[in-house]
Amino acid sequence: MTDIDTLDWPRIEADLDAYGAAATGPLLSPEQCAALVALYDEPEHFRSRVVMARHGFGRGEYQYFAHPLPPLVAGMRTGFWPRLVGIAHRWTGRDYPATHAEYLERCHAAGQQKPTPLLLRYGAGDYNCLHQDLYGAEVFPLQVAILLSRPDAEFGGGAFVLTEQRPRMQSRAEVVPLRQGEAVVFAVAERPVQGTRGTYRVKLRHGVSRVTWGARHTLGVIFHNAA
Ligand SMILES: O=C(O)CCC(=O)C(=O)O
Ligand SMILES: [Fe+2]
């Protein structure tokens, strides 16, 4: 695994400000990716399973991790946190505590106790409709998704897609190509844009285009908990 602190943070931060999303470069090793994928078939790690077609969310399924989170998953939350709080503060004007553990206390006070990190599994024909991962009033504005499968070797299609809705304008789409073990950091729901007459906010949604063959797995890391 690459140390989160050694990722190219000036470039990631610049991409986040410009596009609302940034690929990190290599993060997890193929062995770590395989170990996370293997967890999917061990139900004791999870608090709930969602079959996307049943809710109109798309096609495919995912499971939310239960407490205690596997160390690698917990490490993604605590490791990314100090690198994201400055950006989140600039975007929202809110102050965030130095550690993710302290932020969880804020989530708990807001009635959001359930862990939100999740493992997603897509097969041929599956896709994830454009959405925002909001689970209550407490929202941390950035999240991370890590591709665990090898594109073009284990699956085809299945692009990570973001759309951005500017006020009174048509939507813009952004595709973030990822390698196995690479993460994308992206805006949960909105981001500020510097306009000529001050700052305005654009709405973002993310999803995954249709997987044309094979199996695609991702680890989703959301920093706020769920009600
Ligand atoms: O599978 C993906 O790439 C995206 C999953 C997702 O929606 C998320 O992590 O919030
Ligand atoms: Fe999502």
Side-chain angles (χ1 to χ4, degrees), residues 118 120 128 131-133 135 143 160 186 206-207 222:
L118 72 165
L120 302 100
N128 194 342
H131 66 278
Q132 298 175 325
D133 290 302
Y135 296 93
Q143 70 185 86
F160 182 90
F186 57 100
H206 65 275
I222 295 155

